[in-house]
Amino acid sequence: MTATAGPVCTGASSAATGYPSFSSYVRARGPVLLRTARSLTADPGDAEDLLQTALAKTFVAWNRIEDHRALDGYVRRALLNTRTSQWRRRKVDEFACDELPEPLGPPAPDPAEQQALRDAMWHAVMRLPDRQRAMVVLRYYEDLSEARTAEVLGVSVGTVKSAVSRALAKLREDPELSTVR
């Protein structure tokens, strides 16, 4: 056993192929390998990144590669494996389309306008006579049925129907509500 402590691959095989160092290999074979990387990606910038990643992996393994005549195959395999890993990791959130998607529905109403409408409606309900106001509040604000409203107030269902009908007619004619509408 000899006392030299150096990489095994820097001997005869490196001299025979003309790549004594990693940088000389990259200078000599870089353009060919870049063409290979461009065939794997659509974007030239992505191809350069892909080649750089594959060459970084090759550099890490440079001392373990025994046959430097197979370096192109090693780098090509690293290119392919790296590209496959990138493809598997990618997450598609957006898809290109010819037309912009339309909003799902009409825009949401302005909260300030909704509050103004609620306030105006409540003021109009407060101007109704007591009996009509009670029936409208039970029927529409408390969401009771006509029968349950009649039961609570101790009147007939017909009375509830007619009183609510008159109250709604007054609300439709209320001048303060017409400006809000």
Side-chain angles (χ1 to χ4, degrees), residues 9-178:
C9 65
T10 59
S13 64
S14 294
T17 59
Y19 305 124
S21 68
F22 177 75
S23 59
S24 65
Y25 170 74
V26 172
R27 275 193 300 276
R29 301 299 294 160
V32 174
L33 296 171
L34 183 57
R35 279 196 304 269
T36 303
R38 283 188 178 154
S39 70
L40 295 173
T41 63
D43 182 69
D46 289 343
E48 290 173 2
D49 291 342
L50 178 63
L51 178 59
Q52 182 148 358
T53 302
L55 288 174
K57 291 178 181 181
T58 304
F59 178 75
V60 170
W62 184 258
N63 291 334
R64 292 190 319 256
I65 300 172
E66 293 178 14
D67 185 7
H68 279 201
R69 291 174 295 181
L71 281 171
D72 283 357
Y74 185 92
V75 175
R76 283 190 182 104
R77 176 50 62 186
L79 284 168
L80 189 59
N81 290 347
T82 302
R83 182 64 183 141
T84 303
S85 295
Q86 290 171 347
W87 179 80
R88 286 180 180 156
R89 278 193 305 260
R90 80 182 163 120
K91 180 179 177 188
V92 178
D93 289 332
E94 298 177 9
F95 299 97
C97 60
D98 293 335
E99 298 177 17
L100 292 175
E102 295 297 321
L104 296 176
D110 182 21
E113 290 177 11
Q114 286 181 321
Q115 187 61 46
L117 179 61
R118 278 191 216 102
D119 290 345
M121 180 60 80
W122 185 248
H123 291 322
V125 167
M126 295 305 290
R127 287 190 296 273
L128 291 173
D130 292 341
R131 187 173 171 155
Q132 288 179 355
R133 181 174 58 241
M135 290 184 193
V136 166
V137 167
L138 290 173
R139 189 75 183 90
Y140 295 105
Y141 283 89
E142 296 295 323
D143 200 26
L144 296 181
S145 66
E146 291 171 340
R148 182 70 180 125
T149 302
E151 183 183 324
V152 167
L153 295 175
V155 296
S156 70
V157 174
T159 303
V160 171
K161 287 182 179 183
S162 63
V164 168
S165 177
R166 283 191 302 275
L168 291 178
K170 284 183 182 179
L171 291 173
R172 280 188 208 100
E173 295 171 1
D174 190 298
E176 287 184 30
L177 288 180
S178 64

